[in-house]
């Protein structure tokens, strides 16, 4: 018997270092780690000690004998990785293997991190654990709660994945880390003021915008971004008042990444299933009245090029009362590794599913390019052009055919990628939607020189790619660049200290919160959840969050969300 890594895997890699027989791969010092969908345990090497179970922050590792029916594909998935990637002797000294030891700095390095999601917390972890150097980290988060994309981006039915917030909270609770919540840079405090109190400022605030389709009708009511829909059902206070039309029988999701699958899954899930999650109460009520029976997930390219992960694809098949079907499945028959063959087998299996059973349906439709949203006063459908795929050694290419189809739908969600937003007067790459940088140091593209004291991590650094754990190496790289610049004398000494910064924040934002305030919110939500048989009941109002953080007793959702227009 061996242990098995299952769908919630976040690629955090905490499990790697505790394995006594080196049977969990790819490791952070292997090239495959940067692009892997998940980590894998070698069943031939695992000694079933269980050390990894205690270390996993999202409870993704399970003894093979305890597999549930929904997990049955994962022992084979773990074994398939090692068919093409036999374990090699460990290479020590590559990026991510060891933290550097610093012996040449006399003053305390003060770093401000904007954001509290995965990239911010991994960065704080790396900086506060630097040996031989005194470091003080200030985390500034515009919301009253920590977690970023973990709280407001991970789907509510992926509850175990959200457990990684516990790890983040422990990092932010270290004695050399201070958290300022409900404080917004650019509103309460400027970049220049932040830098005046710190050697370095790191923007780890994610990608707050969306990529547009650029087609006629995209601005019609009924057309939304998946990012807005995800934030809505996850109870983000800025989207709690959004309204979506669930009156038609079909929805269309444009894009085929993991977010597209999350959205499709939530739209057709039975409400009794969602009632066991932390989905926002108002979203639960709205979805209970939904008339949507079918979601079509549109992809422009062939199935081989789809961005969704194999674990997420497998998970679709475990939805009770939902049929998953596919069409236009084209596979390359050569140069396939074992994991790719398993992915193809899952897709081919969905291709044989019979529809018309009376169940709800998710249909994965490939080789379709959206060309126009139909409707006058609101969206009534979408016009798409059919494509054909040509397979070659490098993958698949797509050619339009000139033939068009119309898909009727009253709800159209585009899920074609997030996009970073500009940060004050810092340089911005408008094409990629990121801050231009060299190993995390923001660079002015006009001069090629680093902008002193300005750094970036996460999606705003590399674009919206990867899963939670992908941010770890990204943040480690940025942290080490900051330390190197500090020790090398390339950072200006701040003119004011931590006490002055605290006074400034208190003056500008009297309702600032600290980590203790967040813990009050967290405990309150969990207590509400226990009485309802749920992991938590989210507070969706900033004012209510502040009240709870400061000790007031309020019930989640007591304030009616302000209705906002979502386009």
């Amino acid at each position: 018997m061996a242990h098995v890594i299952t769908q919630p895997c976040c690629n955090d890699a905490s499990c790697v270092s505790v394995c006594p027989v080196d049977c969990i791969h790819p490791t952070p010092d292997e090239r495959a780690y940067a692009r892997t969908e998940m980590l894998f345990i070698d069943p031939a090497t695992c000694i079933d000690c269980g050390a990894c179970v205690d270390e996993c922050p999202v409870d993704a590792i399970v003894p093979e004998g305890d597999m549930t029916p929904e997990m049955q594909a994962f022992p084979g998935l773990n074994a398939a990785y090692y068919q093409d990637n036999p374990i090699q002797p460990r290479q020590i000294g590559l990026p991510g293997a060891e933290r550097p030891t610093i012996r040449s700095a006399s003053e305390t390095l003060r770093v401000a991190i904007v954001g509290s999601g995965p990239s911010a917390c991994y960065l704080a972890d790396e900086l506060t654990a630097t040996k031989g150097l005194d470091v003080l980290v200030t985390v500034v988060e515009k919301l009253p709660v920590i977690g970023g994309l973990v709280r407001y981006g991970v789907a509510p039915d992926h509850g175990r994945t959200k457990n990684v917030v516990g790890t983040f909270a422990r990092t932010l609770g270290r004695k050399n880390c201070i958290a300022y919540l409900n404080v917004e840079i650019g509103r309460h405090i400027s970049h220049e003021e932040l830098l005046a109190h710190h050697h370095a400022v790191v923007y780890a605030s994610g990608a707050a915008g969306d990529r547009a389709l650029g087609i006629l009708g995209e601005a019609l009511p009924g057309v939304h971004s998946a990012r807005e829909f995800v934030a809505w059902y996850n109870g983000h206070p800025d989207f709690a008042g959004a309204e979506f039309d669930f009156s038609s029988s079909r929805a269309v999701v444009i894009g085929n990444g993991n977010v597209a699958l999350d959205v499709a899954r939530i739209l057709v899930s039975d409400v009794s299933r969602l009632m066991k999650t932390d989905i926002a109460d108002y979203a639960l009520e709205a979805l209970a009245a939904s008339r949507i029976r079918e979601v079509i997930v549109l992809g422009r390219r062939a199935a081989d090029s789809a961005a969704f992960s194999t674990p997420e694809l497998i998970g679709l098949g475990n939805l009770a009362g939902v049929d998953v079907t596919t069409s236009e499945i084209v596979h390359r028959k050569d140069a396939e590794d074992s994991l790719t063959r398993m992915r193809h087998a899952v897709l081919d299996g969905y291709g044989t599913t019979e529809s018309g059973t009376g169940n709800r349906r998710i249909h994965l439709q490939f080789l379709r390019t959206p060309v126009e949203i139909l409707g006058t006063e609101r969206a009534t459908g979408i016009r798409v052009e059919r494509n054909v795929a040509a397979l070659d050694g490098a993958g698949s290419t797509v050619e339009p055919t000139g033939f068009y189809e119309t898909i009727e739908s009253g709800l159209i969600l585009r899920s074609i990628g997030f996009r970073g937003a500009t940060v004050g007067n810092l340089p911005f790459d408008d094409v990629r939607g990121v801050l231009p940088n060299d190993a995390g140091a923001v660079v002015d593209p006009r001069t090629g020189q680093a902008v002193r004291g300005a750094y970036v991590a996460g999606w705003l650094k590399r674009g919206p790619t990867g899963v939670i754990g992908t941010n770890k190496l990204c943040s480690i790289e940025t942290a080490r660049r900051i330390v190197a610049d500090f020790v090398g004398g390339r950072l200006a000494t701040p003119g004011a200290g931590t006490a002055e910064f605290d006074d400034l924040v208190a003056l500008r934002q009297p309702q600032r919160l600290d980590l203790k305030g967040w813990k009050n919110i967290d405990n309150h939500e969990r207590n509400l959840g226990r009485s309802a048989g749920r992991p938590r009941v989210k507070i969706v109002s900033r004012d209510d969050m502040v009240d709870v953080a400061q000790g007031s007793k309020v019930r989640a959702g007591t304030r009616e969300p302000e209705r906002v227009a979502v386009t």
Side-chain angles (χ1 to χ4, degrees), residues 549-560:
Q550 296 176 343
S552 300
K553 298 294 184 181
V554 301
R555 183 171 54 84
T558 54
R559 305 187 187 192
E560 181 69 17

Side-chain angles (χ1 to χ4, degrees), residues 133-158:
L133 179 66
D134 289 332
V135 180
L136 179 64
V137 170
T138 303
V139 171
V140 184
E141 165 60 57
K142 69 177 182 179
L143 291 171
V145 290
I146 69 169
L149 198 63
V150 176
R151 179 179 172 101
Y152 292 119
V154 174
D157 56 351
H158 284 359

Side-chain angles (χ1 to χ4, degrees), residues 52-84:
C52 55
V53 175
D54 294 333
E55 197 67 25
C56 178
V58 296
D59 300 324
I61 305 176
V62 181
E64 189 171 358
D66 293 343
M67 293 279 104
T68 65
E70 293 77 17
M71 299 176 181
Q72 292 307 310
F74 287 93
L77 199 65
N78 279 246
Y81 176 81
Y82 293 95
Q83 293 177 20
D84 301 290

Side-chain angles (χ1 to χ4, degrees), residues 251-262:
V252 172
V253 180
I254 303 167
N256 51 24
N258 284 345
V259 174
L261 297 193
D262 284 346

Side-chain angles (χ1 to χ4, degrees), residues 111-117 119-120 123 138 140 184-186 189-195 200-207 421-427 434-435 437 440-442 451-462 471 474-475 478 482:
V111 180
I113 302 174
V114 180
S116 68
S119 59
L123 180 67
T138 303
V140 184
E184 186 173 355
I185 302 304
I189 304 292
S190 69
H191 168 77
E192 291 73 20
E193 289 171 329
L194 203 56
L195 189 57
V201 177
V202 189
Y203 289 92
S205 45
T422 57
V423 177
N425 294 321
L426 290 178
V434 300
L435 296 182
N437 68 92
V442 176
V451 179
R452 178 176 284 191
Y455 297 85
V456 64
W459 281 6
L460 197 54
K461 172 186 175 183
R462 68 181 191 277
N471 293 287
C474 173
S475 294
T478 298
I482 294 169

Side-chain angles (χ1 to χ4, degrees), residues 249-477:
S249 62
R250 178 187 293 132
V252 172
V253 180
I254 303 167
N256 51 24
N258 284 345
V259 174
L261 297 193
D262 284 346
V263 167
R265 199 175 59 250
I266 295 300
L267 282 170
V268 296
S269 286
D270 190 274
V271 172
S272 63
R273 177 175 178 270
L274 297 177
M275 287 176 65
K276 302 173 184 177
T277 74
D278 68 351
I279 191 170
D281 281 350
Y282 59 74
L284 192 63
E285 180 180 351
L287 291 169
S290 171
R291 298 178 59 188
I292 293 173
R293 303 289 300 177
E294 178 185 47
V295 178
I296 296 179
V297 181
L298 287 178
R300 182 180 66 84
R301 297 179 294 178
D304 270 9
S305 301
F308 50 65
S309 68
T310 303
E312 291 297 325
L313 184 64
I314 291 171
L316 287 184
N318 296 322
L319 290 174
V322 177
D323 295 328
V324 183
T325 60
T326 62
S327 58
E328 302 288 351
I329 299 296
V330 181
H331 295 318
R332 291 175 58 227
K333 302 302 181 183
D334 57 336
E336 295 178 7
D337 59 25
S338 299
L339 287 176
T340 302
R341 285 194 293 271
M342 287 196 68
R343 180 184 177 94
H344 289 177
V346 175
L347 284 167
D348 290 341
Y350 291 155
T352 63
T353 302
E354 293 184 8
S355 58
T357 61
N359 288 338
R360 295 182 177 91
R361 183 167 84 124
I362 296 175
H363 181 69
L364 305 179
Q365 175 68 72
F366 301 97
L367 297 173
R368 298 292 189 275
T369 297
V371 295
E372 182 184 0
I373 306 295
L374 305 176
T376 52
E377 296 183 357
R378 62 171 299 103
T380 58
I382 182 169
R383 188 166 179 253
V384 299
E385 182 175 13
R386 299 185 61 171
N387 301 320
V388 293
L391 304 181
D392 54 38
S396 61
T397 57
V398 171
E399 297 292 338
T401 64
F403 293 96
Y404 297 89
E405 298 172 345
T406 296
I407 303 171
E408 294 182 359
S409 174
L411 177 63
I412 298 170
L413 301 171
R414 63 179 185 273
S415 182
I416 56 174
F418 294 172
R419 177 181 170 82
T422 57
V423 177
N425 294 321
L426 290 178
F428 187 73
D429 184 335
D430 196 55
V431 175
R432 296 182 57 213
V434 300
L435 296 182
N437 68 92
D438 175 22
V442 176
V443 173
D444 186 338
R446 297 171 299 178
T447 64
Q449 299 298 310
V451 179
R452 178 176 284 191
Y455 297 85
V456 64
W459 281 6
L460 197 54
K461 172 186 175 183
R462 68 181 191 277
T465 60
V467 294
I468 291 172
T470 310
N471 293 287
K472 195 167 191 175
L473 278 186
C474 173
S475 294
I476 287 174
E477 180 185 55

